[in-house]
Amino acid sequence: ASPAARQAAGRDFLVQIVAKLRVTSNSYYGPGWAVQAFPTITTGAGNSSYSFTIPTACSDRWQCQFKLETDLPALSTTKTYNISLTINCSNTNSVRVQFGKAGLGFPADEDIIVTASEDYAYSKTFTGVALSEATLLFDFGYAPAETDVYISDISISEVAAP
């Protein structure tokens, strides 16, 4: 295929995935492991962004898990993909980012430090994971009280072969 055709296919692939992102009821909020209702989430038009405020400080990993699920056009084990997004928090925070599916693997799974009020541009390229549905998980388990979270510019795309 021509470079233009590959770019068009990549855009179509991206649109299919981002349009299908949905907030899951499996998000978890339990400061001090005392489970509470997850904070109210504001979703931007066309799933372009997600924001919420963490009202009570969390003291341990996994105490504030925000999850998005999506059905994917089947990812191929022979192709390379990139997931990228932007995270901004009102307080400096360690954030765990995972993309994948339990039992099938998490090709993106890492801890990052998001500096207060600065955009963190996250990007991960991966190859060889066959997924037809996936979860994009953000864990804000060490967030201070009153941390505002803003996640935007989520894209999952096929990386064109050279």
Side-chain angles (χ1 to χ4, degrees), residues 1-78:
S2 72
R6 283 196 306 269
Q7 282 184 330
R11 280 192 302 274
D12 290 345
F13 180 80
L14 168 65
V15 168
Q16 290 173 32
I17 293 173
V18 174
K20 292 181 179 181
L21 282 172
R22 61 192 175 277
V23 176
T24 172
S25 60
N26 293 335
S27 291
Y28 175 87
Y29 180 58
W33 301 110
V35 178
Q36 300 177 24
F38 198 87
T40 300
I41 300 162
T42 302
T43 302
N47 297 331
S48 60
S49 64
Y50 302 87
S51 61
F52 55 91
T53 298
I54 301 167
T56 304
C58 296
S59 59
D60 203 358
R61 176 63 66 219
W62 307 119
Q63 289 185 352
C64 184
Q65 303 170 38
F66 175 60
K67 297 179 184 180
L68 296 168
E69 293 179 342
T70 188
D71 300 319
L72 303 168
L75 301 186
S76 169
T77 58
T78 62

